[in-house]
Amino acid sequence: MNYKKQLCVFAVMVSAMTNSYANPNGDVFNQAYLGERPPALVAKVFAPDIISLTGRYEGVISFTPDLKEIYFGANDSDNRTHIYHTKYEGQTWTPVTRIDFTKGRKEEEIHPFVSPDGRKIYFTALSSDLTYNKIWYVNKTSRGWSEAHALPAPVNEDQVFFPIQAHSGDLYYYNLTKGRNFKATADGANYSSTEELNLDFGVHVSISPNEDYLVMNAQNKNEIGRRDNDLFVSFKTKKGTWGTPINLGATVNSIYNDKTPTISPDGKYLFFGRDEADGKANIYWVSTDVIEKMRPNYL
């Protein structure tokens, strides 16, 4: 699948929402994750009728470390991708609003990821004709988010997308030009070098908070006639390399495309997008216990 098709597959459709949401119990602690009942080992829709709306196309989701802000990608009525936001404030969640980090300098924005320290948001900025796909960022200030900037070389030397930052500061992303997953090594506030990950396959790599496993999506090749994407996990070996990806199984994956995984800041939940029967997509979540049950005994 070429990079244009990859972007189209993971595009999302949503209009600006005007409703706010509050847990009826009024418990501040339970307001994490919009007050939704946490999932177990079977994936379920996240925040139905709040963020995941029937007939719409939602995408990548990310949370601030304190779990009080949510950023996610979605399409507007013109089928262009943008980033949306809601925040827990005054005992309730604020109405979902669209954010324009690049202030119109780029036509579309997608794949938001809040850094582990909450001081940056990385995202993909792109042109509607998909001839430009680069990783940008904003810094947190006392007044909100700063002006957006594109990352310098070497990360943005090629067409790239889907940035995920590890606690070490290293940046994981997919190189559309080369068709491979990469890691950029943190050097202060910049990235001095990049290296290809030793993964045989996979797109949209997400690193765990402890940096001991990766989750990615790839086409299901185990069953005859299957062309959809499944989620896989790759555990770090004692040598520091990445092991053979393992399919997360039927309690997570479906007969539709399961893709664009992210892991919650507390490491408890795996979030991902899933295409639905109506041709749109919703955001799903599942306990990361399903991943731990697959960890090889020799690791």
Side-chain angles (χ1 to χ4, degrees), residues 236-242:
K236 183 177 286 187
T237 69
K238 293 180 180 179
K239 295 181 180 179
T241 57
W242 296 105

Side-chain angles (χ1 to χ4, degrees), residues 6 10 15 23 27 36 50 94 114 118 123 126 133 144 176 209 242 257-258 267 290 298:
Q6 289 167 353
F10 306 119
S15 61
N23 186 301
D27 189 324
E36 293 289 296
I50 302 170
T94 61
V114 182
F123 63 97
L126 58 146
N133 300 275
L176 292 156
W242 296 105
N257 284 316
D258 298 287
V290 74
Y298 59 82

